[in-house]
Amino acid sequence: MQQELRKNILEAAFYVGLMALCLAVIVSTVGLPESLREPLGSSAVPRGISVLIAAFSAFLLGQTLRRIRKLRQAASASPESEAPAASGHPVLKTCVIIAAYAALLTWPVIPSVITTPLFLFILIMALSERTTKNICWAAGLAIVFGAGLHYLFKHYLFVNLP
Amino acid sequence: MSGLLDSLLYIATPLPFLLCLIGVFLGIIVGAIPGFSGAMLIALTIPLTFFMADVNSMVLLISMYVGSVSGGLISATLLRMPGTPSSIMTTMDGYPMAQSGHAARALGLGITASFVGGLVSWFFLYFLSPVLAIWGTKFGPWESFSMAVMALALIASLSSASLVKGLLSASLGVLVSLPGIDSSSGSLRLTFGFSELNGGFDLVPVLLGIFVFSQAFKDISKVGGPIQVIEADSKSIFMTLRDWKNQAVNMIRSSLIGTWIGFLPGVGGSVASIVSYTVAKNSSKTPEKFGTGIPDGIVASETANNASIGGALIPLVTLGIPGSTVDAILIGALLLHNLQPGPMLYVTNPEIINTIIATALIANFVMFFMMSGMVRRIARLSSIPSSFMMPVIILCCLLGAISISNSVFDVWVTLAFGLVGYAMSYFKIPHGPFVIGFILAELAESSLRTALMASAGSLTPLLHRPVAIAFLVVTVLMLVYSIRKGRAAAKA
């Protein structure tokens, strides 16, 4: 139940975030010039779509808040709480590793021929058990696919990798 | 006819045929691995096709499409996990039949049904497309606008249990397509100071993020689960004469259902498979046997999901409207090659249309022979752990994202849309309407503004356009139907 409650709170935050985004879009269209040839101009569609998104988000937020209230009531009625799920947040770890790799591509301190296989090795190891067998497999895959894909994209597909 | 014949002969030459083999093979593998999908594979391949000839890239992508829809049968039958959403109903009878020791028969029935479904829908694709394309050339901006709105409303209302979530997804897709230079006024909008957004979001990083990254994140969040595959022998992989006789009506009916549902914008193979399975069950003399491992269930589901491919390709090649999410990605591939999907493609680049139609036919044959011969080996691939496969796929995505405009900024865009896509899946917001909204937004906005420009801002000319009115009426009816269905479900 706690997990369900957490999920609903996150969902509510997602809709609030979308409404904030809509507000930012509407504000950013204020300075756009009006069109002389047709009544809509550059700003009408972004504003209209933002209003729609905000309305849908508000509707879904209302539903989610009602669910949260019910879940809270049910949780207070049955005080024994579930043990938190054991999780190493693999998605979060993956995002951090990808962001680090993207940062190294954006600000190339180390050449990508090194960072690419390294990225693959670290990501595989972050997602699998640290056994000798897995380390060997990860190293092999990192060298074959990491270096191979780097070579393919850089030299055959002419991608500007640092 | 000669154009189609030329395309068929072209695909029979070594390079295109090799691409067709590779496409079908990769499609089957991706379809067979739960968690992967044809949309993922095609989105991942689009950057590579950037360097290929237009016709060759279409051969590869359409072959992948055919292979991926068919491959879902393998894991649905042997693992009770539909490799693709369109094989969801195959699990109902395929898995029980495989468990009772007839795995090869279950796979054989599914492969043949897929082949027949693909073949029947191909005839509709070939014969209906020119007629619809001629009709499509008569469309003005009002019709284009209302058609785009109808496509968005259809997918939004049918792709999710919640209409509001479908509409929210479609609206988000439209919003994401808006940054950059406004084509009508030339002014910059919604770039928030990022010069990289002056040209808007590139299609490929958005697709890679929404489809591939979000799915990879989803799979990563549950890595380590045990995978058990039922072994299939190679005996009785082909249907007997008795099977053909017993399943003929079921196959034809399911093919027609699949083709028609595929034709509807935004409604893909999964709906086709569910409707076809339900109709087969309701018209059976022994409906109680459905779900226990009978051939009728496998045949109904697999015929319909493959028939939906040909059906979904009809609006794509004739009107530039995606029949499914994969078709939306294929439209993106055409745009990437500077080809404008729609009725004029028949005039400007008929070889592309003929290649798409010819590939749908040849890939169907290749799929049949490949799956009949290699199904046992392909099934074993389902047991490769995600923890090894996902990092390689993520790396392909990142490098593929950079390759389109040689900009590392697109890596950040892919990551950001991956997180958006993951959040959407987590909160059960469908991805299909997002992508179709992203692709159709420009057509809808530019058509509406052109129409208003021509009418000096008046909506009156819309009343004199019966086709546009019909599209808008369908839109309203669809939304009303979805609202009533939602209320009925809430009461129940």
Side-chain angles (χ1 to χ4, degrees), chain B residues 196-249:
Chain B
E196 290 90 347
L197 286 181
N198 287 358
F201 285 112
D202 271 332
L203 179 74
V204 172
V206 174
L207 288 181
L208 289 174
I210 290 289
F211 279 107
V212 191
F213 257 49
S214 67
Q215 186 61 49
F217 288 154
K218 223 163 104 182
D219 286 6
I220 280 168
S221 66
K222 48 189 177 194
V223 284
I227 300 167
Q228 281 186 332
V229 185
I230 297 174
E231 282 289 325
D233 57 33
S234 51
K235 285 178 204 163
S236 61
I237 197 94
F238 294 106
M239 273 173 66
T240 59
L241 263 177
R242 198 173 162 195
D243 285 330
W244 279 103
K245 199 179 147 198
N246 290 342
Q247 299 302 329
V249 175

Side-chain angles (χ1 to χ4, degrees), chain A residues 6-131:
Chain A
R6 211 175 309 133
K7 186 183 172 184
N8 277 285
I9 292 171
L10 277 175
E11 190 169 351
F14 179 73
Y15 297 132
V16 171
L18 283 182
M19 287 195 277
L21 174 75
C22 293
L23 190 66
V25 168
I26 291 170
V27 169
S28 79
T29 57
V30 169
L32 287 175
E34 294 300 319
S35 173
L36 299 172
R37 293 173 293 167
E38 38 88 18
L40 293 180
S42 308
S43 58
V45 174
R47 281 181 199 164
I49 285 294
S50 300
V51 169
L52 275 179
I53 293 173
F56 295 141
S57 300
F59 177 83
L60 292 167
L61 179 65
Q63 281 187 339
T64 314
L65 289 176
R66 275 196 293 277
R67 274 201 307 272
I68 290 173
R69 201 165 46 228
K70 275 184 193 165
L71 283 166
R72 281 207 170 127
Q73 280 167 356
S76 59
S78 54
E80 69 278 11
S81 59
E82 296 168 23
S87 132
H89 301 292
V91 175
L92 191 68
K93 267 196 279 189
T94 307
C95 287
V96 170
I97 295 167
I98 293 171
Y101 177 60
L104 282 170
L105 289 177
T106 313
W107 300 284
V109 189
I110 311 167
S112 61
V113 70
I114 296 168
T115 52
T116 304
L118 200 63
F119 160 75
L120 204 51
F121 178 76
I122 292 171
L123 194 52
I124 294 172
M125 286 320 299
L127 299 177
S128 31
E129 280 178 54
R130 272 172 215 154
T131 59

Side-chain angles (χ1 to χ4, degrees), chain B residues 80-106:
Chain B
R80 204 181 195 172
M81 289 168 82
T84 53
S86 58
S87 296
I88 194 153
M89 298 313 285
T90 312
T91 56
M92 307 286 282
D93 284 286
Y95 186 73
M97 191 185 273
Q99 258 196 330
S100 63
H102 300 100
R105 177 164 154 72

Side-chain angles (χ1 to χ4, degrees), chain A residues 7 37-38 42 106 157 160, chain B residues 182 184-185 189 406 449:
Chain A
K7 186 183 172 184
R37 293 173 293 167
E38 38 88 18
S42 308
T106 313
L157 303 177
N160 188 19
Chain B
D182 171 28
S184 292
S185 67
R189 63 180 180 186
N406 248 326
R449 290 172 73 178

Side-chain angles (χ1 to χ4, degrees), chain B residues 35 82 123 153 252 310 371 394 396 420 448 453 455:
Chain B
F123 279 101
I252 293 167
M371 278 187 70
I394 287 174
C396 289
V420 170
L448 179 63
M453 212 183 284
S455 67

Side-chain angles (χ1 to χ4, degrees), chain B residues 122-416:
Chain B
W122 182 85
F123 279 101
F124 282 93
L125 171 66
Y126 178 64
F127 288 107
L128 264 186
S129 297
V131 183
L132 261 179
I134 292 168
W135 186 59
T137 52
K138 293 173 184 154
F139 280 13
W142 287 115
E143 283 83 7
S144 299
F145 167 71
S146 49
M147 189 173 62
V149 171
M150 182 186 72
L152 281 174
L154 272 174
I155 190 166
S157 54
L158 293 172
S159 60
S160 158
S162 160
L163 170 68
V164 181
K165 284 188 176 177
L167 290 172
L168 175 69
S169 176
S171 309
L172 280 173
V174 174
L175 183 70
V176 169
S177 76
L178 295 175
I181 297 170
D182 171 28
S183 53
S184 292
S185 67
S187 52
L188 274 178
R189 63 180 180 186
L190 308 183
T191 57
F192 297 100
F194 288 98
S195 59
E196 290 90 347
L197 286 181
N198 287 358
F201 285 112
D202 271 332
L203 179 74
V204 172
V206 174
L207 288 181
L208 289 174
I210 290 289
F211 279 107
V212 191
F213 257 49
S214 67
Q215 186 61 49
F217 288 154
K218 223 163 104 182
D219 286 6
I220 280 168
S221 66
K222 48 189 177 194
V223 284
I227 300 167
Q228 281 186 332
V229 185
I230 297 174
E231 282 289 325
D233 57 33
S234 51
K235 285 178 204 163
S236 61
I237 197 94
F238 294 106
M239 273 173 66
T240 59
L241 263 177
R242 198 173 162 195
D243 285 330
W244 279 103
K245 199 179 147 198
N246 290 342
Q247 299 302 329
V249 175
N250 189 7
M251 276 186 187
I252 293 167
R253 182 182 54 219
S254 304
S255 299
L256 296 177
I257 292 172
T259 307
W260 170 242
I261 290 180
F263 178 77
L264 296 174
V267 193
S270 47
V271 177
S273 150
I274 293 166
V275 172
S276 175
Y277 186 88
T278 312
V279 171
K281 188 178 174 180
N282 290 342
S283 54
S284 168
K285 285 176 189 160
T286 52
E288 71 283 355
K289 286 188 179 170
F290 274 74
T292 60
I294 63 165
D296 306 50
I298 303 169
V299 168
S301 165
E302 283 303 312
T303 310
N305 66 24
N306 272 65
S308 72
I309 300 173
L313 284 173
I314 298 171
L316 184 147
V317 296
T318 56
L319 305 171
I321 293 288
S324 70
T325 311
V326 175
D327 291 276
I329 301 172
L330 288 173
I331 286 187
L334 287 170
L335 292 171
L336 195 76
H337 286 265
N338 286 325
L339 299 163
Q340 186 60 49
M344 290 313 289
L345 198 60
Y346 259 94
V347 180
T348 54
N349 296 85
E351 75 286 358
I352 296 293
I353 304 282
N354 286 322
T355 304
I356 291 174
I357 295 174
T359 309
L361 180 67
I362 292 183
N364 202 40
F365 278 94
V366 171
M367 175 280 294
F368 178 72
F369 289 111
M370 205 176 260
M371 278 187 70
S372 301
M374 298 169 66
V375 72
R376 286 173 62 214
R377 286 177 193 86
I378 291 169
R380 286 194 194 129
L381 287 168
S382 310
S383 55
I384 296 176
S386 300
S387 53
F388 286 104
M389 198 132 43
M390 285 305 162
V392 176
I393 285 170
I394 287 174
L395 180 62
C396 289
C397 272
L398 295 174
L399 298 177
I402 303 173
S403 69
I404 295 299
S405 45
N406 248 326
S407 161
V408 179
F409 179 75
D410 285 338
V411 170
W412 296 102
V413 173
T414 308
L415 179 59

